[in-house]
Amino acid sequence: MAALSTNLKSGILASTAGVFGSAFLWLLSFKAMAYWMGPEGVGLFSQLRQMAQAATVGATFGGTNSVVQGLAERKEEAARRQFRATAARLICLSGAAMVLAIAAAAPQLTQFFLSSQAPGLVATVRWIALAVMLNVAGTYALAVLNGYRSYRYLALAQIAGPAALVLLLAGAGWWRLAPDPRLLAAAFVLCFGVTGLIGALGVSRLPGLEALVRLQGLPKAQSRAFVRFALSNLVAALSTTIALLLIRSWVIEAKGLAFAGLFDAGWTLTFNYTTLFLTACSAIYLPLLTAATRPEAQKACMLKTAYLVLSASILICHAMVLLQAPLITLLYSPQFEASGRVLMVLVIAVIFRGVSWVYGTMILATRNSRVLVISDVALNLSLLAATRYALGSFGSLEALSWAFVVPNFLYLVFVVEYARMKNKLMRRRQIWPFLAAGTAPLFYMAFASAGLPPAYPELAGFLCMSVGLAVSVAALFAYKKVVL
């Protein structure tokens, strides 16, 4: 048990280092873009990245979750090899189809997602097809490393690609190269190519069997079960990615690339890096929750993760609100000062998102395909509706940000109730008091910034941060009391 605990802690550290190292490097890449191309460049960079991510999610059946879950539930190496053979063939075929589709429909995709028909942008989208091909290979390799809990190679692969990206963008800014969208596409090709190369190296170091076993696939019944689960995971993950892609395209069409860049700066500092933090947790949490078959073990796993995520997110979000001006100037540039209005609101949605992810993972762990699809599609349809209404009726950065808060709160209510239904040991009082106390100061500061400022802003900020710190510490104590 002690050895298991040591290995688990080592895995957590390596996984966290990989994801946060990657997050820091992506942050540096946005910093380089902000100084090189300004808000318009950041808007274009973010949209191209989202397009590549959407295509990768589609080609890999929803990202890494399907492969990680399939490997985690198989203990014998022969069974894992059979699963990998089937998964690799399916992902290879879907990846090839996706790349050909992007290359063929580049003019239409450019017009729809970038509101332009410029030849340079069309060529850029065609180059993105190559980046997608490399990203599909890298994503599959990362999923295999995660499934085998090979966290060191996983961390190295996660860091190496963004590091190459930062070097290229920093060099372009240093040499004052003319802003060219094709250079951005080349940067993505380099980033995903390096990640795929390191990931393939890590996979090659995994335990091996004879070639005969390596080439065999799953039996037909197991293959059909995997495809059904993978397709449901694909629909759920793709609905999220496409929703964000559509939202960005609507913002670009209605307000232009500069407005999109300002919004994306606030979104990146909140949602994007929260997602990366949750990805780090997922490398440990999903396999553990999948393996937990007793209600007591499920409850302990969920609560321990929920309290850890809540403690970290409350502390970080409160600090970001208080330090928003120097933070945005440091990580972007003074041109992005308006992004602070986005950050003030999105931190609330981020806390809801973090906790709902913990509870929602129960849907993945129990392989409830129908609920997975319906819940994620409903979430993203409500997000699209709220965003469309905010853009059409208000058109401000604040209104666009509030459009993310309401759908994420409703989804949080749903997944908490779902977890209670599946596990009778779960209670509402175990999480809602922490959430209410942790977000109340953020609601106050968001409304105060939109209306009349408080009479003593420094004192109000200090009191809000004190409340946030107290709730964060309380959640950390609750985390330590739960025993796995």
Side-chain angles (χ1 to χ4, degrees), residues 176-196:
R176 298 182 179 179
L177 299 181
D180 189 338
R182 286 169 291 192
L183 185 56
L184 298 185
F188 285 119
V189 170
L190 176 65
C191 173
F192 299 143
V194 171
T195 297

Side-chain angles (χ1 to χ4, degrees), residues 63-84:
T64 61
N65 283 338
S66 298
V67 175
V68 172
Q69 200 272 349
L71 290 173
E73 68 180 6
R74 290 169 171 83
K75 306 303 180 185
E76 298 295 329
E77 181 60 24
R80 286 183 164 187
R81 286 284 179 171
Q82 289 179 319
F83 174 81
R84 285 171 55 187

Side-chain angles (χ1 to χ4, degrees), residues 298-308 359 426 430 482:
Q298 281 186 343
K299 174 188 173 182
C301 188
M302 291 178 65
L303 287 181
K304 201 167 183 67
T305 307
Y307 291 142
L308 178 62
Y359 281 78
M426 302 296 294
Q430 293 165 337
V482 180

Side-chain angles (χ1 to χ4, degrees), residues 10-26 142 151-162 276-277 279-280:
S10 176
I12 292 174
L13 290 175
S15 177
T16 303
V19 174
F20 278 97
S22 172
F24 177 71
L25 290 167
W26 276 105
L142 293 178
Y151 295 118
R152 293 181 181 177
Y153 276 105
L154 178 64
L156 182 60
Q158 288 171 321
I159 291 174
L276 290 172
F277 170 66
T279 302

Side-chain angles (χ1 to χ4, degrees), residues 322 445 456-466:
L322 289 179
M445 297 186 73
Y456 301 96
E458 293 82 5
L459 178 60
F462 173 77
L463 291 176
C464 289
M465 187 62 189
S466 299

Side-chain angles (χ1 to χ4, degrees), residues 25-63:
L25 290 167
W26 276 105
L27 190 62
L28 290 182
S29 72
F30 278 98
K31 173 76 172 179
M33 284 298 307
Y35 272 98
W36 181 29
M37 294 188 180
E40 289 191 4
V42 171
L44 177 61
F45 183 73
S46 299
Q47 185 69 334
L48 291 175
R49 182 187 178 192
Q50 192 67 37
M51 292 171 67
Q53 182 179 354
T56 302
V57 166
T60 55
F61 296 93

Side-chain angles (χ1 to χ4, degrees), residues 410-428:
L410 296 176
Y411 182 72
L412 172 61
V413 173
F414 167 76
V415 293
V416 169
E417 294 304 312
Y418 177 85
R420 289 183 64 250
M421 181 184 70
K422 287 294 183 179
N423 190 326
K424 302 302 180 182
L425 299 178
M426 302 296 294
R427 299 289 184 268
R428 297 187 186 95

Side-chain angles (χ1 to χ4, degrees), residues 249-278:
S249 65
W250 290 344
V251 173
I252 292 171
E253 182 182 13
K255 298 291 184 177
L257 278 171
F259 185 94
L262 292 174
F263 176 78
D264 199 80
W267 188 90
T268 299
L269 289 174
T270 53
F271 261 89
N272 190 52
Y273 292 107
T274 298
T275 301
L276 290 172
F277 170 66
L278 297 180

